[in-house]
Amino acid sequence: MYTYVVRVVRAEEWASVRALRLLALEDPAAPLAFLETYETAAERPDSFWQERAAGAAEGAGGARQYIAEAEDGQWAGTVTVLVEEAGSVDWAGFPVERRQGHVVGVFVRKEWRGSGMTQALLDAAVSWAWREGLERVRLIVHERNLRAQGAYRKAGFVPTGRTVPLAKGAEENEYEFVLERPGASDG
């Protein structure tokens, strides 16, 4: 197994951001892990990927994307954390009560799973969130994505009890997991 370095994506790496996202969306777990399909992502124009990379690169304010880069240059994994401001409404229509990070887009290539890479990516994302002064970090995980739930629990995230329906009238749900900032209050 090669070694890797976790680092922030650079704006000019948008084509690699796109390629890794498309690879993630081809994974068998993608329907449980992502709210986007391969077809939708593949049809997006280059400008979308350029804006996405620039918006999560070093110096951007509202998000940060980390990648795990293997010593051969291959992008082996990724995670993005989005800032959600208190008083806003999240993607599912719930009010955001505290300034928080929202972890999305967690993906590790199959050959790197079990290497500790998911933990290293989450550690980088959470560390950034704490440096940004966020009060907690949360994520949403599908009720049937047990492998991901296990990884998030191992990283210190705990279920809040909040259930998020996948779509109006859908029978499947996602669960909110949260990691509180050390020393932060519950509300």
Side-chain angles (χ1 to χ4, degrees), residues 5 10 12 16 20 50 66 70 89 105 113 118 128 137-138 140 143 145-146 149 164 172 178 182:
V5 173
R10 294 185 283 270
E12 65 271 13
S16 295
L20 190 59
Q50 291 163 353
Y66 288 89
V89 175
R113 293 179 187 154
T118 301
W128 177 78
V137 177
R138 72 175 186 143
I140 309 293
E143 63 188 358
N145 196 344
L146 301 180
Q149 288 182 39
V164 180
E172 295 185 12
V178 68

Side-chain angles (χ1 to χ4, degrees), residues 19-31 34 36-38 107:
L20 190 59
R21 178 64 173 183
L22 292 176
L23 182 67
L25 291 170
E26 289 180 314
D27 189 273
F34 306 113
E36 179 178 45
T37 66
Y38 177 90
F107 173 71

Side-chain angles (χ1 to χ4, degrees), residues 123-138:
D123 286 348
V126 168
S127 291
W128 177 78
W130 297 161
R131 288 192 307 274
E132 290 295 301
L134 304 182
E135 296 180 44
R136 70 181 197 156
V137 177
R138 72 175 186 143

Side-chain angles (χ1 to χ4, degrees), residues 14 23 28 32 50 58 64 66 77 81 93 95 118 142 158 160 179 185:
W14 65 268
L23 182 67
L32 297 181
Q50 291 163 353
E58 194 70 49
R64 188 70 79 242
Y66 288 89
V81 61
T118 301
H142 194 282
V158 295
T160 64
L179 181 64
S185 68

Side-chain angles (χ1 to χ4, degrees), residues 45-104:
D46 289 351
S47 59
F48 171 86
W49 299 102
Q50 291 163 353
E51 289 171 20
R52 186 173 183 153
E58 194 70 49
R64 188 70 79 242
Q65 182 177 3
Y66 288 89
I67 55 118
E69 185 175 21
E71 62 187 6
D72 65 359
Q74 178 190 69
W75 284 18
T78 186
V79 64
T80 300
V81 61
L82 310 172
V83 175
E84 295 179 324
E85 296 293 344
S88 65
V89 175
D90 73 10
W91 64 272
F94 291 105
V96 176
E97 296 169 4
R98 297 189 283 162
R99 190 165 187 259
Q100 63 191 11
H102 187 153
V103 170
V104 298

